Amino acid sequence: QQPVQSPQAVILREGEDAVINCSSSKALYSVHWYRQKHGEAPVFLMILLKGGEQKGHDKISASFNEKKQQSSLYLTASQLSYSGTYFCGTEMAGNQFYFGTGTSLTVIP
Amino acid sequence: NAGVTQTPKFQVLKTGQSMTLQCAQDMNHNSMYWYRQDPGMGLRLIYYSASEGTTDKGEVPNGYNVSRLNKREFSLRLESAAPSQTSVYFCASSGDRVGNEQFFGPGTRLTVL
C-alpha cells in the first residue's frame, strides 16, 4: 500500500535541478507532496488531484499520471533552503492515505 | 492562530505505563489524524477522524486508542506502552478527507524504556 519513492537520496549543488518520483500500485484520488526538515514537522508543498487540478507552491511543479498511478516533483534552480526530506502521500479509495518512505535532498553551495 | 498544537513535546515512559497525547487545532477543520514516524519508515497513519464523533483505524492502530472529543481536539492513548512504540508522533488536520492539505503539529517524541 505504501507508495515507493525514488531516489532515496540525492545531493545537488545550488542551482541544479532534481526530480523525485512517487509510484503506487493502487488507483489514486490525489497525491500530496510535503517537505520535512530535521527535527521539524512536515510542511505542505503541493496536491495533485485526479482530473488535473493542482494546489500548492508556486516555485515547485509536479505531475500526476493517473493511469500509471505515478507522480513526480520537479525542483528547479535548487536553493540551500530546499534541503530536507520529501514525502509523497497518496489518497485512495476507502479513505486510505499512505506516505512514502521519503527522499533525502541535500543542496550544497 | 496557533494552527495544530500537541502536548507534551517529549515523554519518557516505562514499559506498561499509560499516557495520552493531546492534539488541538484552531482552523475549524473536520478531519484530524495521528501518525507515527520511525527512522527509515516515513509517516504511518495510526488513526484518523473524518468528523466530530467518528474515528477509523489507519495502517498501524494496534496498541492505541483515540478520542475525538470535539471538533478541535483529537487525543491518542497508549494503554500499556511497549518499547516498539518509541517513536515521534505527529497530529495533523485538514479541511476535508480528500484533496486538502494536511497541517501538522510540532510532534511528540516518545521513548518507552
Side-chain angles (χ1 to χ4, degrees):
Chain A
Q1 308 277 29
Q2 187 175 36
V4 177
Q5 285 185 236
S6 63
Q8 287 187 314
V10 59
I11 299 174
L12 299 174
R13 292 198 178 275
E14 268 187 296
E16 290 183 337
D17 302 339
V19 180
I20 300 172
N21 301 301
C22 176
S23 180
S24 174
S25 60
K26 301 274 189 177
L28 302 177
Y29 287 160
S30 72
V31 178
H32 298 215
W33 287 97
Y34 294 81
R35 177 171 61 211
Q36 184 178 31
K37 293 189 180 281
H38 184 69
E40 299 180 6
V43 173
F44 167 75
L45 294 175
M46 176 163 283
I47 283 181
L48 302 106
L49 301 171
K50 196 173 175 182
E53 185 182 352
Q54 295 186 12
K55 295 191 276 187
H57 208 290
D58 58 4
K59 293 190 177 180
I60 292 174
S61 62
S63 64
F64 177 23
N65 186 323
E66 295 172 35
K67 287 185 181 177
K68 293 186 177 180
Q69 295 99 53
Q70 294 174 346
S71 177
S72 294
L73 185 71
Y74 305 99
L75 302 166
T76 56
S78 57
Q79 305 169 18
L80 295 176
S81 62
Y82 284 12
S83 292
T85 302
Y86 289 76
F87 292 99
C88 68
T90 51
E91 283 187 289
M92 52 192 82
N95 284 333
Q96 296 183 61
F97 191 94
Y98 294 91
F99 277 99
T101 52
T103 296
S104 173
L105 181 81
T106 304
V107 181
I108 58 175
Chain B
N1 284 351
V4 180
T5 57
Q6 291 183 236
T7 55
K9 284 190 166 51
F10 301 93
Q11 184 72 48
V12 178
L13 294 177
K14 292 181 180 177
T15 297
Q17 287 185 317
S18 62
M19 79 160 296
T20 300
L21 281 63
Q22 306 286 354
C23 174
Q25 52 92 8
D26 62 1
M27 295 174 282
N28 202 36
H29 284 164
N30 286 321
S31 298
M32 297 185 74
Y33 315 82
W34 276 106
Y35 293 93
R36 61 177 288 173
Q37 186 173 34
D38 304 301
M41 296 294 292
L43 292 136
R44 291 184 292 169
L45 184 63
I46 305 171
Y47 272 93
Y48 68 92
S49 170
S51 62
E52 184 180 350
T54 67
T55 61
D56 285 287
K57 294 178 181 179
E59 187 184 355
V60 288
N62 291 344
Y64 306 96
N65 286 303
V66 291
S67 295
R68 183 75 183 267
L69 304 168
N70 48 54
K71 194 170 186 179
R72 289 188 63 247
E73 297 171 293
F74 189 36
S75 62
L76 179 73
R77 182 160 179 85
L78 288 71
E79 291 291 351
S80 179
S84 60
Q85 293 178 304
T86 294
S87 189
V88 180
Y89 291 85
F90 287 102
C91 176
S93 71
S94 71
D96 283 299
R97 187 66 180 89
V98 178
N100 281 285
E101 62 266 36
Q102 296 183 25
F103 295 85
F104 284 81
T108 295
R109 188 173 295 274
L110 175 68
T111 301
V112 183
L113 302 174

